[in-house]
DNA sequence: CATGAAAATGGACTACAGTCCGTTTGAATG
DNA sequence: CATTCAAACGGACTGTAGTCCATTTTCATG
């Protein structure tokens, strides 16, 4: 009953998907993500434009597909790696570890991630991977700060490590201060507030 | 020595600027910001496309120009209004007040602000107004949390009230929880952390 | 292996942002 | 008022994202 739920992929489709991903990876590496047009990718891959868009939806989808492997790696380390990134450590520590690792991931593929987040408006929140990060953070946050509204707060924290923001932080202050800032933010939020009994 | 530093604006330029802003405001209100093209604005204003772009740079510039008045109002309330938004209140309270007011401003003009932030990549951080908000937050933060790196942290906090994030927060959780979340975030960050002497 | 329907293909087509440059206009000067 | 030239103008032009649909390919079935 389990198994190949998605009703298979036709042979020509698989072949073309590989051709496109290979061509896109090469072109992006050569000329930079920004300056490669979808026409150029289609031409280099030897497929029609329609094929390209049918398969990947838009430019952000193509970028997301290229990031997929790296993403899965980080997801695995979260789900079953060693603490504090993986299970076993206190929620606060796991949050800090996740944000540090995620920031490193984003900065390591900045242009691709930016493209995957900004090609179409709101793209960031529709990507499957974002749901995963959001869920992960929300669960940890609910544990570390049971008094807070974990789901929306998770969006708010993740905003600080979007490609645009992470890129500006590194460009203006350097990778070290960027990382320290994210850590500071996350630690500030993941501690229970002092009780503010009585006086305002 | 003070005064008209910018060497004046020619009469035709001023006339056209007014025509464009009026036409854009009308069209945006009628059809929604997203679905109005720059061609349509130029046609409705009765000016050429070149004029439109010469004056406003790009679509995000046009949106920013339309927001200008509302923005100045908020800036005035911050610089010389009554506390806690204006001067006089403790930094922590001013931060909370600013973020609440800014969130309300963003949500009140969501489409325009989104356009001003996302029309071109990185547009958000180049807009003059962003510099103002960033500076304001950084100064207050430096006072409330002298141990933190205020400038980058200010970017990180402002990320939570970008049009994209604010829009998602309201769409998914409603305006009330969105506001509470931003307040929670800001209050968490603007309190000195407990000293974590010794362990870990 | 023949067949036929669903899936995939490719490239012409549309719509839009943004550029370029020859022409027009405003206003400062004598 | 005539002259002059920098500033502003406008619309044709370019490059790109994304759509559409007539044609081709795959593969399950008999």
């Amino acid at each position: 009953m389990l198994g190949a739920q998605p009703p298979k992929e036709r042979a020509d489709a698989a072949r073309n998907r590989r051709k496109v991903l290979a061509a896109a990876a090469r072109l992006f590496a050569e000329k930079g993500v920004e300056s490669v047009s979808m026409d150029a990718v289609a031409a280099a891959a030897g497929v029609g434009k329609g094929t390209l868009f049918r398969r990947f939806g838009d430019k952000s989808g193509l970028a997301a597909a290229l990031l997929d492997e790296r993403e899965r790696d980080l997801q695995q380390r979260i789900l079953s790696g060693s603490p504090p990134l993986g299970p076993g450590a206190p929620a606060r520590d796991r949050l800090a570890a996740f944000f540090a690792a995620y920031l490193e991931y984003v900065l390591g593929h900045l242009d691709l991630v930016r493209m995957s987040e900004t090609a179409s408006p709101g793209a960031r929140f529709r990507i499957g991977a974002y749901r995963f990060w959001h869920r992960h953070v929300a669960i940890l946050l609910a544990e570390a700060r049971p008094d807070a509204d974990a789901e929306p707060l998770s969006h708010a924290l993740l905003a600080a490590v979007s490609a645009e923001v992470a890129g500006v932080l590194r460009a203006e202050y350097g990778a070290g201060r960027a990382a320290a800032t994210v850590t500071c933010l996350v630690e500030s939020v993941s501690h229970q507030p002092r009780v503010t009994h009585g006086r305002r």
Side-chain angles (χ1 to χ4, degrees), chain A:
Chain A
M1 226 204 174
L2 309 165
Q5 188 93 347
K8 286 177 182 175
E9 182 179 44
R10 250 171 60 170
D12 51 348
R15 186 179 351 117
N16 281 334
R17 199 190 60 238
R18 280 194 304 272
K19 285 201 290 184
V20 167
L21 289 176
R26 188 171 58 78
L27 283 180
F28 285 168
E30 265 174 25
K31 311 189 177 186
V33 177
E34 299 278 340
S35 59
V36 174
S37 71
M38 292 297 268
D39 291 78
V41 173
V47 307
K49 235 182 141 173
T51 303
L52 186 52
F53 279 91
R54 148 179 273 269
R55 188 151 297 280
F56 297 101
D58 60 12
K59 206 172 179 180
S60 82
L62 178 55
L66 282 168
L67 287 169
D68 196 57
E69 197 180 338
R70 305 274 187 161
E71 229 159 39
R72 282 179 197 286
D73 175 62
L74 180 52
Q75 290 178 5
Q76 274 314 315
R77 287 194 286 147
I78 287 168
L79 290 173
S80 55
S82 56
L85 194 55
R92 287 203 296 265
D93 296 347
R94 292 194 71 193
L95 276 171
F98 165 72
F99 273 90
Y102 185 76
L103 179 66
E104 191 182 18
Y105 160 77
V106 170
L107 291 178
H109 311 278
L110 192 55
D111 290 350
L112 264 185
V113 177
R114 178 186 287 127
M115 182 59 66
S116 81
E117 292 182 352
T118 57
S120 70
R124 172 161 208 228
F125 306 97
R126 285 190 301 269
I127 298 173
Y130 183 82
R131 302 255 170 113
F132 180 92
W133 315 129
H134 177 255
R135 188 166 191 72
H136 180 59
V137 171
I139 289 170
L140 292 177
L141 219 41
E143 199 182 324
R145 278 287 298 267
D147 64 303
D149 196 354
E151 281 208 22
L153 193 54
S154 168
H155 284 298
L157 286 180
L158 284 167
V161 289
S162 69
E164 287 238 316
V165 175
V168 166
L169 288 181
R170 185 175 65 181
E172 290 194 7
Y173 311 103
R177 284 171 76 185
T181 295
V182 169
T183 298
C184 167
L185 175 72
V186 173
E187 288 188 342
S188 297
V189 170
S190 60
H191 279 270
Q192 292 270 13
R194 284 168 276 223
V195 182
T196 52
H197 42 66
R199 39 172 334 198
R200 230 213 138 201

